[in-house]
Amino acid sequence: MTIRVVIVDDQALVRAGFRMVLDSQPDLEVVGEAIDGADALRVLDRVPADVVVMDIRMPTMDGVEATRRLCASRPAGGPRVLVLTTFDTEADAFAALRAGASGFLLKNVPPEELLTAIRVVAGGDSVVAPSITRRLLDRFAGQLGSGPTEDPRLAQLTDREREILLLVAQGLANAEIAARLHVAEATVKTHVGRILAKLQLRDRVQAVVLAYESGLVTPGAEGPRTT
């Protein structure tokens, strides 16, 4: 199966470099390019894609706003967004994550890491390691709002699903959760899939954000919030 990719970056040289790397792979195909977020939305209205490699800092419409609009207009079955950032733009990456991006990378990653990330995102997972997600959420917790608000969707979860959501939000990977709960890793993966479906979330990154926004866990805490 070929993964269709749209590249969004205001620098022609960057787009050309990404295209050269991606087109060298038999399972990847660049089906479109855009110079900014607004252009990306126009391109994606015409061209079906699986993954959008989205720059953050662009004129006219930045990657955060484009990600927000793309994910809002195509909540299910639409292309997944992989945002790019640099060392000094982590706040922007966090905003894009909240807007619905499936992950982010630094622009100076090796080509093979970019290729792996695109494949992972296309497969429905996130490229943001749980521990990195946790550190970002801790660092930018002030952006989560004035205080926790219980999300009514959480009432749909079983006790076990709620427990697993808490562990995901604490930065544990599936294997670590399985070891802690003394269950098979495949069982954890099944539970995570059900959690995402019930909460209408795209991936575990958004699940972590929801857990923080709803106050299930608090920045810097080692466990769930107690009241």
Side-chain angles (χ1 to χ4, degrees):
M1 179 178 175
T2 300
I3 300 172
R4 301 163 297 182
V5 182
V6 168
I7 302 170
V8 186
D9 198 290
D10 59 327
Q11 298 184 41
L13 188 60
V14 172
R15 296 197 307 273
F18 284 164
R19 175 182 281 273
M20 182 174 62
V21 172
L22 270 55
D23 281 344
S24 69
Q25 303 298 303
D27 62 331
L28 302 179
E29 179 187 4
V30 177
V31 296
E33 296 183 15
I35 61 174
D36 57 42
D39 189 30
L41 296 178
R42 290 191 292 267
V43 169
L44 291 164
D45 278 338
R46 304 190 308 267
V47 179
D50 302 303
V51 177
V52 180
V53 178
M54 182 85 72
D55 188 21
I56 289 288
R57 298 291 179 92
M58 296 178 291
T60 308
M61 182 187 294
D62 64 21
V64 173
E65 181 60 24
T67 298
R68 182 178 297 109
R69 296 191 186 190
L70 177 61
C71 293
S73 62
R74 301 170 175 83
R80 300 169 67 81
V81 180
L82 172 63
V83 299
L84 301 179
T85 185
T86 58
F87 285 108
D88 58 350
T89 57
E90 285 182 346
D92 291 331
F94 178 75
L97 183 154
R98 292 193 67 201
S102 296
F104 65 90
L105 291 177
L106 298 175
K107 270 194 171 182
N108 62 353
V109 296
E112 58 271 16
E113 188 170 336
L114 173 62
L115 295 173
T116 298
I118 291 173
R119 294 181 179 111
V120 169
V121 167
D125 209 341
S126 166
V127 298
V128 185
S131 59
I132 297 175
T133 303
R134 175 65 182 273
R135 290 199 299 270
L136 276 173
L137 287 166
D138 284 351
R139 180 170 177 180
F140 299 109
Q143 300 180 25
L144 290 174
S146 57
T149 302
E150 180 76 10
D151 193 301
R153 290 175 294 176
L154 295 175
Q156 304 175 65
L157 302 181
T158 65
D159 290 342
R160 175 63 94 182
E161 289 167 349
R162 195 178 182 96
E163 181 181 20
I164 289 177
L165 174 58
L166 289 170
L167 295 173
V168 168
Q170 291 170 43
L172 274 66
N174 286 352
E176 296 171 316
I177 295 173
R180 178 171 296 192
L181 299 181
H182 305 290
V183 298
E185 185 174 349
T187 300
V188 175
K189 186 174 181 180
T190 297
H191 279 303
V192 171
R194 289 174 180 166
I195 292 168
L196 297 181
K198 287 183 177 181
L199 300 181
Q200 298 178 312
L201 302 174
R202 294 169 68 95
D203 51 45
R204 65 191 293 139
V205 173
Q206 289 193 328
V208 173
V209 173
L210 175 62
Y212 272 72
E213 289 180 322
S214 64
L216 290 178
V217 287
T218 54
E222 294 301 324
R225 180 174 63 95
T226 58
T227 56

